[in-house]
């Protein structure tokens, strides 16, 4: 001991002892461990749950189960994957200057390195902006200088909804979400039943992918260098709950590549203005609706409401004003329909005795399809003679039908 190092293999690189440390910026508070070079909590400092406790995007069940962000998993090599999850990585924290070529500065960078001395080398780093939510994630894994197919976990479970079950009151938790360039695919955690890698579909590369909750998201963007994005979704065996609260199944999302890659990583709130400003159609992670025409209606109602609130400063009054404007827009159609319905109702009332006389006369005859046909023809002839359209009242439903998308949008 030590064992002979094969020719061309790297020297061992490992820390002497287990350490935990934090990376803190104006928007993030991230606790990491050199055991596996992983993240044990990811808190958003500007968003709190209660009593000034920041939102943590790494749920307790992910920590208990041992599937954490930045964890590297080697394809088809479970033993090596387990080794990497416990190996003590060497770490280094550096400052990212404001003029950094990546455009992410100023911020902080945490880099991990591990080598087993037998040819395996793992390098990974996380860049976190000082005041923002779009960072960078990179990893590189080789054996004897050759790239290995592997996945780096970018999100695990995502935040829990304070004891509320996913799906209650429209809430989602740990849901997979991917944008293929045309549509957004959402997979509830319970429907992710086996590991699957999502890549380009129908010739269109993925725009982004990851996990979301009701209010937050962790999304990977395509790697630098023109390579396509491949997102791995994996169901995990979560630790059993000890507090009696039913947990959402644990799912992890990560980037899969041969040898590694450099990715942009968004971890933050589903704030439309913020997401829209970052490009890449990141704002589509907000689920306005899964029906296209309702999506458009809801989105523009939302934009109108936020625009109004920018001037009014009170969402209650903003809703009242927007409702009044919508009613004003539909007023001409509603008014015309009301007049038509009133006129038709008067005409129907006027000729109702004559219609009833026709029906009474045919009622005394033997019932048959022919007598019914003759009665209907006689009634319709009366309507035509008096200028009555019995279907006109249905037009009164038109304004309501046209406003239904507005109601649903609200």
């Amino acid at each position: 001991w030590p064992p002979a190092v094969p020719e061309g293999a790297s020297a061992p690189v490992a820390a002497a002892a287990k350490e935990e440390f934090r990376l803190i910026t104006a928007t993030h508070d991230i606790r990491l461990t050199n055991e596996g070079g992983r993240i044990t909590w990811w808190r958003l400092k500007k968003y709190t749950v209660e009593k000034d406790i920041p939102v943590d995007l790494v749920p307790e069940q992910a920590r208990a189960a041992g599937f954490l962000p930045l964890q590297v998993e080697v394809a088809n090599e479970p033993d090596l994957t387990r080794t990497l999850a416990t190996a003590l990585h060497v770490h280094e924290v550096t400052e990212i200057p404001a003029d950094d070529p990546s455009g992410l500065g100023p911020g902080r960078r945490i880099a991990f390195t591990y080598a087993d001395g037998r040819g395996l080398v793992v390098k990974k780093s996380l860049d976190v902006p000082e005041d923002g939510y779009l960072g960078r994630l990179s990893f590189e894994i080789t054996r004897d200088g050759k790239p290995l197919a592997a996945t780096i976990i970018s999100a695990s479970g995502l935040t829990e909804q304070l004891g509320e079950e996913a799906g209650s009151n429209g809430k989602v938790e740990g849901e997979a979400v991917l944008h293929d360039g045309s549509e957004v695919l959402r997979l509830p955690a319970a429907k992710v039943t086996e590991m699957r890698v999502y890549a380009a579909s129908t010739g269109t590369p993925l725009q982004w992918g990851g996990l979301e909750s009701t209010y937050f998201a962790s999304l990977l963007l395509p790697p630098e260098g023109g390579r396509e994005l491949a997102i791995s979704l994996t169901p995990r065996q979560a630790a059993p709950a000890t507090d009696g609260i039913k947990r959402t199944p644990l799912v992890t999302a990560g980037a899969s590549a041969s040898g590694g890659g450099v990715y942009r990583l968004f971890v933050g709130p589903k704030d439309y203005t913020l997401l829209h400003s970052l490009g890449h159609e990141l704002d589509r992670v907000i689920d306005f609706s899964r029906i296209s025409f309702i999506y458009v209606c809801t989105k523009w109602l939302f934009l109108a409401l936020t625009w109004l609130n920018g001037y009014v400063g009170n969402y209650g009054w903003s809703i009242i004003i927007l409702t009044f404007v919508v009613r004003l827009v539909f007023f001409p159609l509603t008014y015309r329909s009301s007049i038509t319905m009133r006129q038709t109702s008067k005409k129907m009332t006027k000729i109702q005795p004559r219609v009833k006389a026709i029906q009474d006369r045919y009622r005394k005859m033997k019932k048959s399809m022919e007598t019914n046909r003759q009665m209907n023809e006689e009634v319709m002839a009366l309507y035509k003679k008096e200028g009555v359209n019995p279907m006109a009242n249905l037009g009164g439903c038109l304004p309501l039908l046209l406003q239904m998308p507005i109601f649903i949008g609200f």
Side-chain angles (χ1 to χ4, degrees):
W1 186 264
V5 177
E7 184 178 352
S10 62
V13 178
K18 181 179 176 180
E19 295 181 70
E20 291 190 350
F21 43 93
R22 290 164 74 179
L23 191 157
I24 301 175
T25 68
T27 47
H28 302 273
D29 178 0
I30 305 172
R31 187 176 70 181
L32 305 101
T33 174
N34 68 342
E35 183 180 30
R38 302 176 297 173
I39 293 171
T40 57
W41 81 38
W42 192 316
R43 295 177 175 175
L44 302 182
K45 294 171 65 177
K46 296 184 178 181
Y47 296 88
T48 59
V49 288
E50 57 183 8
K51 297 179 181 178
D52 298 326
I53 300 173
V55 167
D56 186 358
L57 300 187
V58 180
E60 183 58 41
Q61 63 170 340
R63 286 189 284 269
F67 300 107
L68 298 170
L70 295 193
Q71 187 167 318
V72 172
E73 301 183 313
V74 183
N76 304 315
E77 296 194 41
D79 291 338
L80 179 54
T81 294
R82 283 190 289 269
T83 297
L84 292 179
T86 56
L88 300 181
H89 291 54
V90 173
H91 75 277
E92 180 182 12
V93 179
T94 57
E95 297 289 331
I96 304 174
D99 58 354
D100 188 80
S102 68
L104 295 177
R108 309 288 298 283
R109 174 178 294 140
I110 173 72
F112 288 105
T113 305
Y114 172 77
D116 65 357
R118 297 185 296 275
L120 178 72
V121 179
V122 179
K123 299 178 181 179
K124 51 190 175 182
S125 67
L126 175 68
D127 293 359
V128 181
E130 177 61 33
D131 190 9
Y133 299 96
L134 185 62
R136 173 179 282 160
L137 174 66
S138 66
F139 79 110
E140 179 183 341
I141 179 167
T142 59
R143 180 188 285 148
D144 299 329
K146 298 178 182 179
L148 283 179
T151 296
I152 185 168
I153 296 176
S154 58
S156 183
L158 222 59
T159 186
E160 297 175 1
Q161 299 297 328
L162 304 178
E164 298 181 61
E165 293 183 29
S168 64
N169 300 319
K171 288 183 167 55
V172 296
E173 176 186 338
E175 180 176 74
V177 56
L178 307 108
H179 182 15
D180 67 1
S182 59
E183 295 184 358
V184 176
L185 172 65
R186 300 178 194 272
L187 294 171
K191 292 189 177 181
V192 181
T193 57
E194 60 181 1
M195 193 281 285
R196 181 176 174 184
V197 177
Y198 291 81
S201 62
T202 63
T204 305
L206 290 180
Q207 293 279 88
W208 45 257
L211 298 182
E212 67 170 344
S213 67
T214 306
Y215 308 110
F216 305 96
S218 176
L219 306 172
L220 280 166
L221 279 68
E224 298 175 6
R227 297 169 63 184
E228 291 186 353
L229 178 64
I231 296 291
S232 174
L233 300 178
T234 309
R236 305 292 186 174
Q237 184 63 43
T242 58
D243 54 9
I245 298 175
K246 183 180 178 181
R247 304 295 186 192
T248 300
L250 182 64
V251 173
T252 61
S256 293
S258 177
V262 182
Y263 305 81
R264 288 295 179 96
L265 174 65
F266 173 84
V267 180
K270 290 160 72 171
D271 180 311
Y272 179 86
T273 303
L274 169 66
L275 292 166
H276 185 71
S277 69
L278 296 175
H280 305 282
E281 295 191 343
L282 283 172
D283 56 278
R284 292 195 63 181
V285 74
I286 299 175
D287 188 10
F288 287 117
S289 176
R290 304 187 187 188
I291 303 172
S292 58
F293 72 95
I294 298 293
Y295 177 96
V296 173
C297 180
T298 308
K299 177 179 176 179
W300 285 104
L301 277 172
F302 167 77
L303 293 176
L305 185 62
T306 52
W307 179 82
L308 274 172
N309 190 63
Y311 289 95
V312 177
N314 181 288
Y315 271 109
W317 282 109
S318 299
I319 291 171
I320 291 171
I321 294 170
L322 183 57
T323 303
F324 176 78
V325 171
V326 171
R327 296 289 292 177
L328 195 63
V329 169
F330 280 98
F331 177 76
L333 184 60
T334 304
Y335 178 75
R336 185 173 180 179
S337 296
S338 298
I339 294 299
T340 301
M341 289 177 63
R342 190 180 308 163
Q343 291 174 344
T344 301
S345 180
K346 287 182 178 180
K347 291 180 180 178
M348 289 289 288
T349 302
K350 182 179 179 180
I351 66 171
Q352 188 59 35
R354 296 163 65 184
V355 171
K356 189 175 183 302
I358 295 173
Q359 293 172 340
D360 289 342
R361 179 157 43 87
Y362 277 94
R363 192 176 293 118
K364 297 175 182 179
M365 301 180 184
K366 185 177 180 181
K367 290 185 178 180
S368 66
M369 292 182 63
E370 179 62 23
T371 55
N372 284 337
R373 184 186 64 79
Q374 291 176 357
M375 182 186 71
N376 291 333
E377 286 182 352
E378 193 169 337
V379 171
M380 292 305 295
L382 176 61
Y383 284 154
K384 185 176 181 180
K385 179 181 178 182
E386 297 296 332
V388 176
N389 181 4
M391 306 299 291
N393 283 338
L394 296 178
C397 298
L398 182 60
L400 181 60
L401 292 175
L402 291 176
Q403 292 178 71
M404 282 301 292
I406 305 292
F407 298 151
I408 296 172
F410 265 127

